[in-house]
Amino acid sequence: MTMPVAFAWSWCKPRSVKLGLGALAAALLLTGSLAPAMAEEYLLGPQDKIRLKVYEWRASRDDIFEWKALNDEFIVGPDGMVSLPFAGAVRAEGRTAIELGEQIGERLKEHMQLSNAPDTSVEIIGFRPVYVVGAVAQPGQFPYAPDLTVLQAVTLAGGLRDREEGLAGMVRDMLTERGDVDVLGLNRLALLARKARLEAEHAAADHIEFPPELTTRAGDGLVAMAMQQEESIFTARREGLKNQTEALKSLRQSLSDELVSLQGQLVFHDKQLSLIQKELTGVSSLVDKGIVAAPRQISLERELAQFQGTRLAAETSLLRSRQEISRTDISILDLKNRYDNEVVVSLRDTQSQLDELASKAKTAAALLQSSRMAVPKLLAMREAGQNPEPVFTIVRPGKGGGKGTQIQAQEGTVLAPGDTIKVEIKPALGPDDFDLSAIGPVLGGTAEPPVKAKQAPGLVSATQ
């Protein structure tokens, strides 16, 4: 006979006592305000911790046998199963403590081939945590306790964010936006100087023609530094290209001189071959008449063959020199083309960055202007004691892994294990409190010509 013990939503059940009718009525009035979740029997789920006790009455020995291997604490796994000795993996998710005890007893009876299922007691000693997210100081998961309310869970999460944080955050954002405007202005100056340098390189000019936007502010240290840096880069790149080109031209000249020398050698070899051939013809005639010995003819033929080989080597060297001259000409052209292509690509990228920067600067200026408008309103609301109230929403998982539900809650709402509390604070300011007209159409809107941004104070000093 299995005798499981449920320790779920009944953890706070009073012991059996005799109450009078008046006391019973008072108790019913007190318990009537409990949340609906308290009326339901608790279903186990992942991360729940249980204590298992298994005993067996052995009539033959008139003794109660304790299953020590099973009398321990276990945690429901992420898959909703509890792994037990002798019984194996038993599904706990979606079952009450009583149902789990009965299942374990039947599993032991089947696996151990017992005549009766042992007495099994399941006690819940730890609940899965609750989660608090949103406008709290320390979002995260926290241990559950019986009768835990929304207010108590928010307290565990460090309480609501400081009401002053909204104003402080707005002021901090305004300072950040002011810094962004300044940085964007400096970046634009640097990009304009770079664009002027690239245009001078593309035109093969001797110097950089900076735009009036920079030259009129040459007295500004940052502007002067930007122009000086680009002039240094311009000079270094121009000298580098010049040196490489001159080195290749010098190599070409050396090869041309070598070519002239080889051509002279060929002329000399041709004269030598002509003389040897002439002498060989005369000697051959004398040999035929028997006047001169044959070895003289053989010696001249050998000398002729040697000079022919020498001329062939000189001619090969001549061809190789011409090939090297062609390669050098190609290297000079390739150097110039690579330089020009690099300048064109960099110029295109710089212009793209300038266009992107212009859009960012317009947005940053508009946000800065809106922040300057909103901060005084927040200060006025704080002085008037107008603080936004928090909104609590409980996301409760569905039974057996089903779809969860959302419950609008109050501070005193009782939570269930595994609940997620979303804390939101309605914004103190609405869209009408911000001037975003200078940003332009948003996604999904119709395309319109760009509108000149309303320049916020401080942007002038950042870009001029």
Short mmCIF file of all heavy atoms in Angstrom, two decimals, residues 274-325:
data_model
loop_
_atom_site.label_atom_id
_atom_site.label_comp_id
_atom_site.label_asym_id
_atom_site.label_seq_id
_atom_site.Cartn_x
_atom_site.Cartn_y
_atom_site.Cartn_z
N SER A 274 83.17 36.41 -89.81
CA SER A 274 83.41 36.63 -91.23
C SER A 274 84.87 36.37 -91.60
O SER A 274 85.17 35.73 -92.62
CB SER A 274 83.01 38.07 -91.60
OG SER A 274 83.30 38.32 -92.98
N LEU A 275 85.80 36.83 -90.72
CA LEU A 275 87.23 36.62 -90.98
C LEU A 275 87.60 35.15 -90.91
O LEU A 275 88.36 34.62 -91.75
CB LEU A 275 88.06 37.44 -89.99
CG LEU A 275 87.98 38.96 -90.14
CD1 LEU A 275 88.73 39.65 -89.00
CD2 LEU A 275 88.53 39.40 -91.50
N ILE A 276 87.08 34.48 -89.89
CA ILE A 276 87.40 33.05 -89.75
C ILE A 276 86.84 32.26 -90.92
O ILE A 276 87.49 31.35 -91.47
CB ILE A 276 86.85 32.52 -88.41
CG1 ILE A 276 87.59 33.19 -87.23
CG2 ILE A 276 87.00 31.01 -88.31
CD1 ILE A 276 86.99 32.86 -85.88
N GLN A 277 85.64 32.62 -91.34
CA GLN A 277 85.03 31.92 -92.47
C GLN A 277 85.85 32.14 -93.75
O GLN A 277 86.04 31.20 -94.55
CB GLN A 277 83.59 32.44 -92.65
CG GLN A 277 82.81 31.69 -93.72
CD GLN A 277 82.57 30.23 -93.36
OE1 GLN A 277 82.22 29.93 -92.22
NE2 GLN A 277 82.80 29.32 -94.29
N LYS A 278 86.35 33.36 -93.93
CA LYS A 278 87.15 33.66 -95.11
C LYS A 278 88.45 32.87 -95.11
O LYS A 278 88.87 32.29 -96.14
CB LYS A 278 87.43 35.16 -95.16
CG LYS A 278 88.17 35.61 -96.41
CD LYS A 278 88.34 37.12 -96.39
CE LYS A 278 89.09 37.58 -97.65
NZ LYS A 278 89.28 39.07 -97.66
N GLU A 279 89.10 32.84 -93.92
CA GLU A 279 90.35 32.10 -93.80
C GLU A 279 90.11 30.61 -94.00
O GLU A 279 90.92 29.90 -94.65
CB GLU A 279 90.99 32.37 -92.44
CG GLU A 279 92.34 31.68 -92.27
CD GLU A 279 92.95 31.97 -90.92
OE1 GLU A 279 92.30 32.71 -90.11
OE2 GLU A 279 94.05 31.47 -90.62
N LEU A 280 89.02 30.10 -93.47
CA LEU A 280 88.71 28.68 -93.59
C LEU A 280 88.49 28.31 -95.05
O LEU A 280 88.89 27.22 -95.51
CB LEU A 280 87.47 28.35 -92.74
CG LEU A 280 87.02 26.89 -92.77
CD1 LEU A 280 88.14 25.97 -92.24
CD2 LEU A 280 85.76 26.72 -91.93
N THR A 281 87.87 29.21 -95.80
CA THR A 281 87.64 28.92 -97.23
C THR A 281 88.97 28.78 -97.98
O THR A 281 89.16 27.85 -98.80
CB THR A 281 86.80 30.04 -97.85
OG1 THR A 281 85.57 30.14 -97.14
CG2 THR A 281 86.50 29.76 -99.32
N GLY A 282 89.92 29.68 -97.65
CA GLY A 282 91.23 29.61 -98.32
C GLY A 282 92.00 28.36 -97.92
O GLY A 282 92.61 27.70 -98.77
N VAL A 283 91.97 28.03 -96.62
CA VAL A 283 92.69 26.85 -96.15
C VAL A 283 92.10 25.58 -96.75
O VAL A 283 92.83 24.65 -97.13
CB VAL A 283 92.70 26.81 -94.61
CG1 VAL A 283 93.23 25.47 -94.11
CG2 VAL A 283 93.51 27.96 -94.06
N SER A 284 90.77 25.56 -96.85
CA SER A 284 90.12 24.37 -97.42
C SER A 284 90.57 24.16 -98.86
O SER A 284 90.77 23.01 -99.32
CB SER A 284 88.60 24.52 -97.36
OG SER A 284 88.18 24.61 -96.01
N SER A 285 90.74 25.25 -99.60
CA SER A 285 91.18 25.14 -101.00
C SER A 285 92.60 24.59 -101.07
O SER A 285 92.92 23.74 -101.91
CB SER A 285 91.11 26.52 -101.67
OG SER A 285 91.62 26.45 -102.99
N LEU A 286 93.50 25.05 -100.17
CA LEU A 286 94.88 24.57 -100.15
C LEU A 286 94.95 23.11 -99.71
O LEU A 286 95.80 22.35 -100.19
CB LEU A 286 95.72 25.45 -99.22
CG LEU A 286 95.91 26.92 -99.66
CD1 LEU A 286 96.66 27.70 -98.61
CD2 LEU A 286 96.64 26.97 -101.00
N VAL A 287 94.09 22.73 -98.78
CA VAL A 287 94.07 21.33 -98.33
C VAL A 287 93.68 20.43 -99.49
O VAL A 287 94.22 19.32 -99.67
CB VAL A 287 93.13 21.16 -97.13
CG1 VAL A 287 92.91 19.68 -96.82
CG2 VAL A 287 93.70 21.88 -95.91
N ASP A 288 92.71 20.89 -100.30
CA ASP A 288 92.27 20.08 -101.44
C ASP A 288 93.41 19.89 -102.46
O ASP A 288 93.50 18.84 -103.12
CB ASP A 288 91.07 20.75 -102.13
CG ASP A 288 89.84 20.72 -101.24
OD1 ASP A 288 89.81 19.88 -100.29
OD2 ASP A 288 88.92 21.55 -101.43
N LYS A 289 94.31 20.88 -102.54
CA LYS A 289 95.43 20.79 -103.47
C LYS A 289 96.62 20.08 -102.86
O LYS A 289 97.63 19.85 -103.53
CB LYS A 289 95.84 22.19 -103.92
CG LYS A 289 94.76 22.90 -104.73
CD LYS A 289 95.21 24.31 -105.11
CE LYS A 289 94.13 25.03 -105.91
NZ LYS A 289 94.57 26.41 -106.29
N GLY A 290 96.53 19.80 -101.55
CA GLY A 290 97.60 19.09 -100.87
C GLY A 290 98.73 19.98 -100.45
O GLY A 290 99.81 19.49 -100.07
N ILE A 291 98.52 21.30 -100.48
CA ILE A 291 99.57 22.24 -100.09
C ILE A 291 99.63 22.38 -98.56
O ILE A 291 100.71 22.49 -97.97
CB ILE A 291 99.35 23.60 -100.76
CG1 ILE A 291 99.39 23.45 -102.28
CG2 ILE A 291 100.37 24.63 -100.32
CD1 ILE A 291 99.04 24.71 -103.04
N VAL A 292 98.49 22.41 -97.91
CA VAL A 292 98.40 22.60 -96.44
C VAL A 292 97.85 21.32 -95.83
O VAL A 292 96.95 20.69 -96.41
CB VAL A 292 97.51 23.81 -96.10
CG1 VAL A 292 97.40 23.95 -94.59
CG2 VAL A 292 98.07 25.07 -96.75
N ALA A 293 98.33 21.04 -94.61
CA ALA A 293 97.87 19.84 -93.91
C ALA A 293 96.43 20.02 -93.43
O ALA A 293 95.98 21.13 -93.11
CB ALA A 293 98.80 19.51 -92.75
N ALA A 294 95.73 18.92 -93.27
CA ALA A 294 94.32 18.95 -92.83
C ALA A 294 94.13 19.47 -91.41
O ALA A 294 93.11 20.09 -91.09
CB ALA A 294 93.73 17.55 -92.97
N PRO A 295 95.08 19.25 -90.46
CA PRO A 295 94.85 19.77 -89.09
C PRO A 295 94.61 21.27 -89.04
O PRO A 295 93.87 21.74 -88.18
CB PRO A 295 96.14 19.38 -88.37
CG PRO A 295 96.60 18.15 -89.08
CD PRO A 295 96.26 18.36 -90.52
N ARG A 296 95.23 22.00 -89.93
CA ARG A 296 94.98 23.46 -89.93
C ARG A 296 93.53 23.74 -90.24
O ARG A 296 92.92 24.63 -89.64
CB ARG A 296 95.90 24.10 -90.99
CG ARG A 296 95.67 25.59 -91.18
CD ARG A 296 95.88 26.35 -89.90
NE ARG A 296 95.68 27.79 -90.11
CZ ARG A 296 95.50 28.65 -89.13
NH1 ARG A 296 95.52 28.21 -87.86
NH2 ARG A 296 95.35 29.93 -89.38
N GLN A 297 92.95 23.00 -91.16
CA GLN A 297 91.54 23.20 -91.49
C GLN A 297 90.64 22.85 -90.30
O GLN A 297 89.68 23.54 -90.01
CB GLN A 297 91.18 22.33 -92.71
CG GLN A 297 89.73 22.48 -93.15
CD GLN A 297 89.39 21.59 -94.32
OE1 GLN A 297 90.24 20.83 -94.82
NE2 GLN A 297 88.16 21.67 -94.79
N ILE A 298 91.00 21.77 -89.64
CA ILE A 298 90.20 21.35 -88.48
C ILE A 298 90.27 22.40 -87.37
O ILE A 298 89.26 22.71 -86.69
CB ILE A 298 90.69 19.99 -87.97
CG1 ILE A 298 90.44 18.91 -89.04
CG2 ILE A 298 90.01 19.61 -86.67
CD1 ILE A 298 91.06 17.57 -88.71
N SER A 299 91.44 22.98 -87.15
CA SER A 299 91.60 24.00 -86.12
C SER A 299 90.74 25.22 -86.41
O SER A 299 90.09 25.78 -85.52
CB SER A 299 93.09 24.41 -86.02
OG SER A 299 93.24 25.47 -85.10
N LEU A 300 90.71 25.63 -87.68
CA LEU A 300 89.88 26.78 -88.03
C LEU A 300 88.38 26.47 -87.87
O LEU A 300 87.59 27.32 -87.45
CB LEU A 300 90.19 27.20 -89.48
CG LEU A 300 91.55 27.89 -89.70
CD1 LEU A 300 91.80 28.11 -91.20
CD2 LEU A 300 91.61 29.22 -88.94
N GLU A 301 87.98 25.26 -88.23
CA GLU A 301 86.57 24.89 -88.07
C GLU A 301 86.17 24.91 -86.58
O GLU A 301 85.06 25.31 -86.22
CB GLU A 301 86.33 23.51 -88.67
CG GLU A 301 86.41 23.50 -90.20
CD GLU A 301 86.27 22.11 -90.76
OE1 GLU A 301 86.32 21.13 -89.94
OE2 GLU A 301 86.08 21.96 -91.98
N ARG A 302 87.09 24.44 -85.70
CA ARG A 302 86.80 24.47 -84.26
C ARG A 302 86.68 25.90 -83.77
O ARG A 302 85.78 26.24 -82.99
CB ARG A 302 87.91 23.73 -83.50
CG ARG A 302 87.62 23.64 -82.00
CD ARG A 302 88.78 22.99 -81.25
NE ARG A 302 89.05 21.66 -81.75
CZ ARG A 302 90.15 21.32 -82.44
NH1 ARG A 302 91.09 22.23 -82.71
NH2 ARG A 302 90.34 20.07 -82.87
N GLU A 303 87.57 26.76 -84.21
CA GLU A 303 87.52 28.17 -83.80
C GLU A 303 86.24 28.83 -84.30
O GLU A 303 85.63 29.64 -83.61
CB GLU A 303 88.76 28.89 -84.35
CG GLU A 303 88.89 30.32 -83.85
CD GLU A 303 90.18 30.97 -84.35
OE1 GLU A 303 90.98 30.29 -85.03
OE2 GLU A 303 90.37 32.17 -84.06
N LEU A 304 85.82 28.47 -85.50
CA LEU A 304 84.57 29.02 -86.05
C LEU A 304 83.38 28.59 -85.19
O LEU A 304 82.47 29.40 -84.90
CB LEU A 304 84.40 28.54 -87.50
CG LEU A 304 83.11 28.98 -88.20
CD1 LEU A 304 83.05 30.51 -88.32
CD2 LEU A 304 82.99 28.33 -89.58
N ALA A 305 83.35 27.34 -84.79
CA ALA A 305 82.23 26.85 -83.96
C ALA A 305 82.20 27.56 -82.59
O ALA A 305 81.12 27.90 -82.07
CB ALA A 305 82.35 25.33 -83.77
N GLN A 306 83.38 27.82 -82.02
CA GLN A 306 83.42 28.52 -80.73
C GLN A 306 82.87 29.94 -80.85
O GLN A 306 82.10 30.39 -80.01
CB GLN A 306 84.86 28.54 -80.20
CG GLN A 306 85.39 27.17 -79.77
CD GLN A 306 86.84 27.25 -79.34
OE1 GLN A 306 87.53 28.25 -79.54
NE2 GLN A 306 87.34 26.12 -78.79
N PHE A 307 83.25 30.65 -81.89
CA PHE A 307 82.77 32.02 -82.06
C PHE A 307 81.26 32.04 -82.33
O PHE A 307 80.55 32.96 -81.92
CB PHE A 307 83.56 32.71 -83.18
CG PHE A 307 84.77 33.44 -82.69
CD1 PHE A 307 86.01 32.83 -82.71
CD2 PHE A 307 84.67 34.75 -82.21
CE1 PHE A 307 87.13 33.51 -82.26
CE2 PHE A 307 85.79 35.41 -81.76
CZ PHE A 307 87.04 34.81 -81.77
N GLN A 308 80.80 31.04 -83.06
CA GLN A 308 79.35 30.97 -83.30
C GLN A 308 78.59 30.77 -81.99
O GLN A 308 77.52 31.35 -81.77
CB GLN A 308 79.05 29.84 -84.29
CG GLN A 308 79.45 30.15 -85.72
CD GLN A 308 79.23 28.98 -86.65
OE1 GLN A 308 79.09 27.82 -86.20
NE2 GLN A 308 79.18 29.24 -87.96
N GLY A 309 79.14 29.91 -81.08
CA GLY A 309 78.49 29.72 -79.77
C GLY A 309 78.51 30.99 -78.95
O GLY A 309 77.52 31.33 -78.27
N THR A 310 79.65 31.72 -79.00
CA THR A 310 79.75 32.97 -78.25
C THR A 310 78.74 33.99 -78.78
O THR A 310 78.10 34.72 -78.02
CB THR A 310 81.16 33.53 -78.34
OG1 THR A 310 82.10 32.55 -77.86
CG2 THR A 310 81.30 34.80 -77.52
N ARG A 311 78.60 34.05 -80.09
CA ARG A 311 77.63 34.99 -80.66
C ARG A 311 76.20 34.61 -80.25
O ARG A 311 75.36 35.49 -79.97
CB ARG A 311 77.74 34.99 -82.18
CG ARG A 311 76.88 36.07 -82.83
CD ARG A 311 76.83 35.95 -84.32
NE ARG A 311 76.09 37.05 -84.91
CZ ARG A 311 74.76 37.17 -84.89
NH1 ARG A 311 74.01 36.22 -84.30
NH2 ARG A 311 74.17 38.22 -85.45
N LEU A 312 75.90 33.32 -80.23
CA LEU A 312 74.56 32.87 -79.83
C LEU A 312 74.26 33.26 -78.38
O LEU A 312 73.15 33.69 -78.06
CB LEU A 312 74.45 31.36 -80.03
CG LEU A 312 73.09 30.74 -79.69
CD1 LEU A 312 72.00 31.35 -80.57
CD2 LEU A 312 73.13 29.23 -79.86
N ALA A 313 75.27 33.13 -77.49
CA ALA A 313 75.07 33.52 -76.09
C ALA A 313 74.83 35.02 -75.98
O ALA A 313 73.97 35.48 -75.20
CB ALA A 313 76.29 33.11 -75.27
N ALA A 314 75.57 35.82 -76.75
CA ALA A 314 75.38 37.27 -76.73
C ALA A 314 73.99 37.64 -77.25
O ALA A 314 73.32 38.54 -76.74
CB ALA A 314 76.47 37.95 -77.56
N GLU A 315 73.56 36.94 -78.28
CA GLU A 315 72.22 37.21 -78.83
C GLU A 315 71.13 36.86 -77.81
O GLU A 315 70.13 37.56 -77.68
CB GLU A 315 72.04 36.41 -80.11
CG GLU A 315 70.78 36.79 -80.87
CD GLU A 315 70.69 36.11 -82.22
OE1 GLU A 315 71.60 35.31 -82.55
OE2 GLU A 315 69.72 36.35 -82.94
N THR A 316 71.34 35.75 -77.06
CA THR A 316 70.39 35.37 -76.00
C THR A 316 70.34 36.43 -74.91
O THR A 316 69.25 36.81 -74.42
CB THR A 316 70.78 34.01 -75.40
OG1 THR A 316 70.82 33.03 -76.44
CG2 THR A 316 69.79 33.59 -74.33
N SER A 317 71.52 36.95 -74.52
CA SER A 317 71.57 38.01 -73.51
C SER A 317 70.87 39.27 -74.01
O SER A 317 70.19 39.98 -73.24
CB SER A 317 73.03 38.34 -73.15
OG SER A 317 73.66 37.20 -72.59
N LEU A 318 70.99 39.53 -75.31
CA LEU A 318 70.31 40.68 -75.89
C LEU A 318 68.80 40.54 -75.77
O LEU A 318 68.07 41.48 -75.39
CB LEU A 318 70.73 40.82 -77.35
CG LEU A 318 70.11 42.01 -78.11
CD1 LEU A 318 70.60 43.32 -77.54
CD2 LEU A 318 70.43 41.92 -79.60
N LEU A 319 68.28 39.37 -76.07
CA LEU A 319 66.83 39.13 -75.96
C LEU A 319 66.36 39.25 -74.50
O LEU A 319 65.29 39.80 -74.22
CB LEU A 319 66.50 37.75 -76.52
CG LEU A 319 66.70 37.56 -78.02
CD1 LEU A 319 66.45 36.10 -78.41
CD2 LEU A 319 65.79 38.48 -78.81
N ARG A 320 67.18 38.73 -73.58
CA ARG A 320 66.80 38.80 -72.16
C ARG A 320 66.78 40.26 -71.69
O ARG A 320 65.90 40.65 -70.91
CB ARG A 320 67.81 37.99 -71.33
CG ARG A 320 67.41 37.88 -69.87
CD ARG A 320 68.39 37.04 -69.06
NE ARG A 320 68.45 35.67 -69.56
CZ ARG A 320 69.48 35.13 -70.19
NH1 ARG A 320 70.57 35.86 -70.44
NH2 ARG A 320 69.46 33.87 -70.60
N SER A 321 67.71 41.06 -72.15
CA SER A 321 67.72 42.48 -71.76
C SER A 321 66.48 43.20 -72.27
O SER A 321 65.88 44.03 -71.58
CB SER A 321 68.98 43.16 -72.30
OG SER A 321 70.14 42.60 -71.70
N ARG A 322 66.07 42.88 -73.49
CA ARG A 322 64.86 43.49 -74.03
C ARG A 322 63.62 43.09 -73.21
O ARG A 322 62.71 43.90 -72.98
CB ARG A 322 64.69 43.07 -75.49
CG ARG A 322 65.67 43.76 -76.44
CD ARG A 322 65.56 43.20 -77.83
NE ARG A 322 66.46 43.93 -78.75
CZ ARG A 322 66.73 43.55 -79.98
NH1 ARG A 322 66.17 42.42 -80.46
NH2 ARG A 322 67.55 44.26 -80.74
N GLN A 323 63.58 41.83 -72.77
CA GLN A 323 62.47 41.38 -71.92
C GLN A 323 62.46 42.13 -70.58
O GLN A 323 61.39 42.54 -70.09
CB GLN A 323 62.57 39.88 -71.67
CG GLN A 323 62.29 39.02 -72.90
CD GLN A 323 62.48 37.54 -72.64
OE1 GLN A 323 63.01 37.16 -71.60
NE2 GLN A 323 62.06 36.71 -73.58
N GLU A 324 63.64 42.32 -69.98
CA GLU A 324 63.71 43.03 -68.71
C GLU A 324 63.29 44.49 -68.87
O GLU A 324 62.63 45.05 -67.99
CB GLU A 324 65.14 42.96 -68.16
CG GLU A 324 65.56 41.57 -67.71
CD GLU A 324 64.70 41.05 -66.57
OE1 GLU A 324 64.21 41.87 -65.76
OE2 GLU A 324 64.49 39.83 -66.48
N ILE A 325 63.64 45.09 -70.00
CA ILE A 325 63.21 46.46 -70.25
C ILE A 325 61.68 46.52 -70.35
O ILE A 325 61.02 47.43 -69.81
CB ILE A 325 63.86 47.00 -71.55
CG1 ILE A 325 65.36 47.22 -71.30
CG2 ILE A 325 63.21 48.31 -71.97
CD1 ILE A 325 66.12 47.62 -72.55
#
